[in-house]
Amino acid sequence: MKKTTAIIFFLLFIGILGWQNRINITVWAIPKILNIIRPVLSEGSSSWQQGPSLENKTPDTRPNIILILADDLGFNDVSLYNGGAGSGSLLTPNIDQIAKDGVMFKNGYAANAMCAPSRASIMTGRYSTRFGFEFTPLFPGAVQLMKWIDDIQDNELKIEIEEKLYEDAKDLFSAGIPTEEITIAEVLKDAGYYTAHIGKWHLGRVDGSHPNDQGFDDSLFMEGGLYLPENDKRVVNAKTDHPVDNMIWARSQFSASFNKSPNFAPGGYLTDYYTDEAIQVIEKNKHRPFFLYLAHWAVHNPLQALRSDVEAISHHTMGHNLQVYSGMITALDRSIGRIVDALEQNGLTDNTLIIITSDNGGASYIELADINKPYRGWKLTHFEGGTHIPFMAKWPEQIQAGTKFIPAVHHNDIFQTIAAAGNANVPTDRILDGVNFLPFVNGSKDGILHKTLFWRQGHQQTVLHEGWKLIRTSRADQKWLFHLEKDPTEKNNIVADYPEKVQLLEQLLNEHNLQQVEPLWPSVVNAPILIDKHTGQEYEDNDEYIYWPN
């Protein structure tokens, strides 16, 4: 009897201990489970299509087109914009040079404050809410994990979770862009371009949503989120204490696939590996027009940089995490330089259009304060820090070097611009929200591209109209009005001072909403985001915050 009682108490103790440490146990277990259910081959390779030789080249004067999309790159991460990371101690000379040799957009805007909807807009030239791609797909177990995190954290601001909606929704991890949508890759492929995708996709992988099913001849697909294995001697890692960062580490693998092949380990540090592959695409297809969509994972966490890059900047006065983050930016900048060099070596510089931007602003959960400086807010919020992004383009034959463009340019404009450059036909059976920015940039057309821009993610809805910006949520006390021409950094909320302006902007939002469709899947999370502090800083009663729905 005593022995039985002791066993019961022991099992009870183990159960309580396990429950109290359920997040740590989950984080420990997930990599082991992933390696079983999603094995990664130690070797694999790409086999990019080979274009014609010089002798077999057919006359085609259309430009090559390279779209480079960074992930979570903050406005302050590019030194040409605001001095660069680490209080100006880290410069990005190669990224800066693209703008110096072409156009720097002073007011570039993401289509959304988070990745997947922005990418859907870039690929289609449409507000993603027009076809229901309103929220970012969640990985299996994400909602339960967030609930555990919220229960454990001693925080006055609580996450609201709609568990029933999550249970009723389809598999959100595999949800993708509807097959009815027409991507820029499909448009260019139909026009005779070779099309290649490298890196992150985040627009689905099943039911016709994989890049190979959306117009890309070849796709080197990011399957896992590690830049190198965590214990690789070439890499320096940086982590925060935030459980979400732990979870990203836990569920990331060092893996890729090529044209739906089995997963394999990439051939080096991810940013450099993607660049190596991009150069192969350029060299193999230099005698025919190509479209290369290089969707870097950099600088998204997990924070991992090459040891050589960290050591090269270690003399700067920085904390460890900022050193690693700066090393990641260094690798991204090196990538741009190497691609530019490859174009020059292959005689393609003058007739290649390069567009560089980010999917949204920098994230608060990497716990670095100034990445979106001088703007307030973060990824996930509609404040300028979440949507006002680096944006530049270069095309020597069409864009005068040193151009600075002040009016707003938007992710939606990329589709129309690329299609026009490639002399490709755009779909006429649907609304396209973008504008070809080239005539405005080269001076053949005057005026602005957009009188009004919209952002919508559930109840967080925003309109920018003639310099006035309104952010509203479902909460009566969370509504902001700014006049960006006078207050570009959103310091003064003047919503109480201009009721007629608020009424006009709300009417514009309401009319815009009538043109959108219901989300393809429901919002299941409503999470508070501090506007002026990152997740490593404590909430105080006077801190402003906004609820982010997804």
Side-chain angles (χ1 to χ4, degrees), residues 2 89 144 168 198 218 247 270 276-277 336 526:
K2 289 182 179 180
S89 59
Q144 184 60 55
D168 292 345
I198 296 175
D218 288 322
M247 192 62 189
L270 201 62
D276 294 341
E277 296 293 321
I336 306 304
N526 202 32

Side-chain angles (χ1 to χ4, degrees), residues 80-221:
L80 187 64
Y81 277 105
N82 197 50
S87 300
S89 59
L90 177 75
L91 301 181
T92 52
N94 294 304
I95 298 176
D96 294 354
Q97 196 63 45
I98 295 293
K100 291 176 181 178
D101 291 341
V103 57
M104 176 178 71
F105 294 102
K106 299 282 285 185
N107 292 291
Y109 281 99
N112 201 287
M114 68 182 311
C115 45
S118 278
R119 294 163 191 271
S121 290
I122 289 171
M123 283 293 104
T124 62
R126 289 154 52 83
Y127 289 116
S128 65
T129 47
R130 289 198 185 278
F131 47 91
F133 205 101
E134 189 161 343
F135 306 110
T136 287
L138 296 172
F139 57 85
V143 170
Q144 184 60 55
L145 179 72
M146 282 186 276
K147 187 173 185 299
W148 286 353
I149 292 171
D150 205 42
D151 289 342
I152 290 172
Q153 287 182 321
D154 184 18
N155 196 330
E156 295 179 41
L157 301 178
K158 306 301 289 183
I159 299 175
E160 300 170 354
I161 297 176
E162 296 286 348
E163 292 183 81
K164 184 63 168 64
L165 289 178
Y166 178 70
E167 292 170 1
D168 292 345
K170 61 181 179 179
D171 183 356
L172 301 186
F173 183 63
S174 61
I177 189 171
T179 56
E180 298 80 14
E181 289 303 309
I182 298 175
T183 70
I184 188 59
E186 291 175 297
V187 166
L188 291 176
K189 185 175 182 178
D190 288 346
Y193 271 74
Y194 166 67
T195 56
H197 157 258
I198 296 175
K200 184 174 178 177
W201 179 242
H202 213 170
L203 297 177
R205 63 179 73 199
V206 297
D207 300 328
S209 59
H210 188 279
N212 289 139
D213 303 318
Q214 290 290 337
F216 286 99
D217 293 307
D218 288 322
S219 171
L220 179 60
F221 194 99

Side-chain angles (χ1 to χ4, degrees), residues 430-488:
R430 63 202 61 205
I431 294 174
L432 295 175
D433 297 296
V435 177
N436 173 15
F437 61 65
L438 288 171
F440 295 87
V441 168
N442 63 30
S444 59
K445 184 179 288 188
D446 294 328
I448 61 173
L449 282 73
H450 302 281
K451 181 179 179 181
T452 311
L453 290 170
F454 298 96
W455 292 265
R456 187 180 95 171
Q457 190 168 22
H459 66 76
Q460 186 182 194
Q461 302 178 0
T462 300
V463 56
L464 174 58
H465 176 70
E466 296 182 337
W468 291 84
K469 179 178 176 182
L470 177 74
I471 305 173
R472 72 181 184 187
T473 73
S474 60
R475 296 168 182 258
D477 61 339
Q478 292 196 341
K479 187 179 292 185
W480 293 265
L481 177 69
F482 305 104
H483 191 192
L484 293 187
E485 293 177 5
K486 297 180 179 179
D487 183 20

